[in-house]
Amino acid sequence: MTKVRADQLDKALAKGLSPIYIVSGDEPLLVQEACDTIRAAARAAGFCERELYHNEPGFDWGQVLSSANSLSLFAERKLIELRLGNGKPGDKGAKALLEYAAAPAPDTLLLLAAPKLDGSTQRSKWFKGLEQAGCFVQIWPVTAQQLPRWIGQRLRRAGLKADSQAQEVLASRVEGNLLAASQEIEKLKLLVEADGFVTAEMMSTVVADSARYDVFGLVDKALHGDARGAVKNLHGLRGEGTDATVVLWALAREIRTLSQVAYACEQGQNFDWAAKNAGVWDKRKPLIKTALRRLKSPLLQVLLRKANAIDKAIKGMHNADPWGELLDLTLNLAGTVSLHPRVQKLALTRAYS
């Protein structure tokens, strides 16, 4: 199977169509656009009929094979699109895909759209079977560092110009929500004057705050030491109606991991081994190591006790504002000591009294 990045897809399609395409990733907008590009190329090549299937419970895989191998009364070529909602076709689906991959129908193009496929899925028999005949379009997420550049490219495609400050304004407002960024750019096309230049002031005025907040983003910002970003994320979660218990769960889980790794290292274990034993993924090791440079075991034990007190506050067993306490916990995790240790100790003592 040819592996192609999303930005290489146009060139790959210009060289000719593959009988099978798998588009996989966790960025819905980019997955949708990649599928749109493949559909357009298929239509231009005479695949005028399209059938869409969703892999839902009870899905009949036989109808896909039957459709792929049957001639259409209305078109010589057919595009069959299959949405793998969870990226797992199941035993029957795996068998059907292997059977199809062994002999793809000559006048049929199969397009599979799926969320990010993990390593074990990519090593599965059905996926490897498709490798022999198809093209794998892997959609990678746009990182915070890449987002301003991505926005700049989208603005130029829309016929607009913006300086780096304006791009940063939009990036800060949408915080990783690519669909929101795309929608704001479409709105700017209607509002910006003929010269197409967007200033930072105009961007601030026009663009809504469409940030997509999540508890994992909150944790990562805190571990990075980005207190300001973490607090903004925390307020966003509260504003979106996120349950305080969910936020506490994410923070407490990370503090327990940090505490476990810190203790093991203090006992003489190698960091990589300690992190592995604590279940830390390789790509998160640098983040954990950075956080442990400022967060030592004594402070982490205090933060765990504070998390326990917040749990009591959420359950009504301790007279305190859970969100105010979560703010303190977030600030301390980010390296900003919000309370003197003696005051912190007194507060915790009261929580257990």
Side-chain angles (χ1 to χ4, degrees):
M1 174 180 285
T2 304
K3 286 189 178 180
V4 175
R5 297 198 312 267
D7 59 356
Q8 300 172 326
L9 185 56
D10 284 324
K11 290 183 179 179
L13 290 168
K15 296 177 181 177
L17 289 173
S18 295
I20 299 170
Y21 285 91
I22 299 179
V23 181
S24 165
D26 285 336
E27 288 290 356
L29 174 67
L30 300 186
V31 169
Q32 179 65 36
E33 289 181 344
C35 290
D36 288 343
T37 301
I38 294 169
R39 291 189 203 103
R43 282 195 300 271
F47 291 85
C48 300
E49 184 177 348
R50 174 179 175 237
E51 294 181 5
L52 176 63
Y53 298 95
H54 293 267
N55 178 26
E56 298 173 340
F59 177 66
D60 180 9
W61 283 91
Q63 63 182 320
V64 176
L65 293 176
S66 175
S67 175
N69 293 306
S70 63
L71 294 175
S72 172
L73 297 175
F74 306 102
E76 294 182 356
R77 290 183 162 185
K78 181 192 305 182
L79 169 67
I80 294 180
E81 187 170 343
L82 178 60
R83 306 278 175 84
L84 293 177
N86 61 1
K88 307 286 186 182
D91 292 340
K92 292 182 180 179
K95 183 179 179 181
L97 290 173
L98 271 172
E99 182 180 338
Y100 182 82
D107 295 319
T108 299
L109 189 151
L110 178 63
L111 170 60
L112 287 84
K116 180 181 176 181
L117 300 177
D118 57 27
S120 62
T121 300
Q122 293 186 40
R123 291 189 295 271
S124 64
K125 289 183 178 180
W126 70 267
F127 188 90
K128 286 185 173 294
L130 296 175
E131 280 185 325
Q132 306 304 316
C135 179
F136 179 31
V137 184
Q138 193 163 14
I139 306 295
W140 294 100
V142 177
T143 66
Q145 292 76 20
Q146 296 169 334
L147 185 56
R149 182 184 174 191
W150 183 88
I151 287 172
Q153 292 171 341
R154 301 289 291 211
L155 285 166
R156 287 190 291 274
R157 281 171 51 183
L160 301 173
K161 297 179 229 175
D163 56 27
S164 58
Q165 190 174 1
Q167 294 171 25
E168 291 284 353
V169 169
L170 180 52
S172 67
R173 290 290 179 90
V174 300
E175 281 199 0
N177 190 335
L178 301 188
L179 179 59
S182 179
Q183 290 171 341
E184 294 295 350
I185 290 170
E186 289 300 312
K187 184 167 67 176
L188 284 166
K189 285 170 61 177
L190 302 175
L191 299 175
V192 175
E193 296 180 2
D195 62 2
F197 189 81
V198 183
T199 64
E201 182 180 1
M202 183 185 300
M203 191 74 82
S204 299
T205 303
V206 171
V207 177
D209 191 348
S210 305
R212 180 180 62 191
Y213 298 103
D214 63 84
V215 291
F216 302 109
L218 165 65
V219 168
D220 284 355
K221 284 183 172 64
L223 293 182
H224 271 297
D226 180 7
R228 188 173 184 177
V231 170
K232 180 181 178 182
N233 201 312
L234 181 67
H235 289 323
L237 287 166
R238 185 178 187 180
E240 291 176 353
T242 305
D243 195 310
T245 305
V246 176
V247 179
L248 176 61
W249 166 80
L251 291 170
R253 186 186 67 161
E254 205 66 34
I255 294 169
R256 281 193 293 270
T257 298
L258 289 166
S259 181
Q260 182 179 340
V261 176
Y263 178 78
C265 290
E266 289 167 4
Q267 299 303 307
Q269 278 193 29
N270 173 272
F271 170 79
D272 287 333
W273 184 250
K276 181 179 180 180
N277 287 338
V280 178
W281 296 347
D282 286 343
K283 67 179 181 179
R284 289 185 63 80
K285 285 181 181 178
L287 186 58
I288 296 296
K289 183 178 278 189
T290 298
L292 288 178
R293 291 194 186 106
R294 65 175 186 276
L295 299 169
K296 306 303 179 184
S297 283
L299 176 58
L300 290 169
Q301 290 303 311
V302 170
L303 295 184
L304 282 174
R305 292 187 65 198
K306 185 171 183 64
N308 201 350
I310 296 172
D311 182 58
K312 290 179 178 293
I314 292 172
K315 295 174 180 176
M317 300 166 61
H318 171 46
N319 186 23
D321 172 25
W323 285 100
E325 296 296 302
L326 284 169
L327 176 60
D328 282 341
L329 186 64
T330 299
L331 286 170
N332 279 278
L333 187 58
T336 301
V337 180
S338 59
L339 288 175
H340 189 278
R342 289 183 180 177
V343 178
Q344 193 80 271
K345 184 176 180 180
L346 177 61
L348 290 173
T349 302
R350 289 175 176 173
Y352 288 97
S353 61

